[in-house]
């Protein structure tokens, strides 16, 4: 991956996740049409602001896998401990009926095999 230092590494991680895997048999955990509005880090919390396309899942991926693919990837960075996801700046939403975006998510290693 070519890295332009004009964007944050956190934003690069999210953008690469949206692009999906390079393998032919893999598929993205996030709708590939999703746009990144902004990604910022403050006090160890990474705030990921995506457009409304994120709410539409094109593949057979659970909400848990989608949320924690973002969270677990970002928490691997040394300056990120938790992640909050918003849609066009709004956190008063529920993703796939189970995940309140007001939640500040922490790493969940139970999904990794």
């Amino acid at each position: 991956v070519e890295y332009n230092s004009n964007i944050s590494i956190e934003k690069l991680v999210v953008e690469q996740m949206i692009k999906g895997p390079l393998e032919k048999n893999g598929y993205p955990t996030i709708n590939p049409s999703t746009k990144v509005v902004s990604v910022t880090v403050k006090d160890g919390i990474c705030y990921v602001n995506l457009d409304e396309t994120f709410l539409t899942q094109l593949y057979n991926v659970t909400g848990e896998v989608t949320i924690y693919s973002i969270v677990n990837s970002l928490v691997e960075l040394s300056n990120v401990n938790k992640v909050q996801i918003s849609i066009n700046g709004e956190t008063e939403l529920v993703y796939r009926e189970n995940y309140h975006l007001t939640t500040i998510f922490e790493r969940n290693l139970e999904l990794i095999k």
Side-chain angles (χ1 to χ4, degrees):
V1 174
E2 271 189 43
Y3 175 60
N4 179 342
S5 62
N6 291 334
I7 68 166
S8 70
I9 190 73
E10 298 83 12
K11 184 174 182 180
L12 178 67
V13 167
V14 175
E15 288 175 345
Q16 291 301 308
M17 292 189 61
I18 291 169
K19 284 184 182 178
L22 299 175
E23 303 90 38
K24 290 181 181 180
N25 295 337
Y27 49 89
T29 60
I30 303 169
N31 182 330
S33 297
T34 301
K35 303 289 183 245
V36 177
V37 176
S38 65
V39 178
T40 57
V41 178
K42 182 176 181 186
D43 298 328
I45 301 173
C46 185
Y47 298 92
V48 178
N49 186 11
L50 304 170
D51 75 348
E52 65 281 351
T53 310
F54 172 77
L55 299 173
T56 305
Q57 183 54 262
L58 299 180
Y59 300 96
N60 188 20
V61 177
T62 67
E64 183 177 43
V65 168
T66 300
I67 293 290
Y68 286 102
S69 67
I70 297 168
V71 174
N72 290 348
S73 296
L74 288 168
V75 170
E76 286 296 315
L77 301 173
S78 62
N79 62 327
V80 177
N81 300 313
K82 300 177 183 179
V83 176
Q84 183 171 38
I85 300 168
S86 61
I87 306 302
N88 293 320
E90 283 292 319
T91 58
E92 294 293 326
L93 299 166
V94 178
Y95 178 69
R96 310 253 328 249
E97 300 176 12
N98 293 319
Y99 299 92
H100 295 266
L101 299 185
T102 54
T103 303
I104 297 177
F105 296 96
E106 296 186 51
R107 177 188 313 236
N108 179 352
L109 296 179
E110 292 178 11
L111 298 172
I112 300 171
K113 291 186 179 185

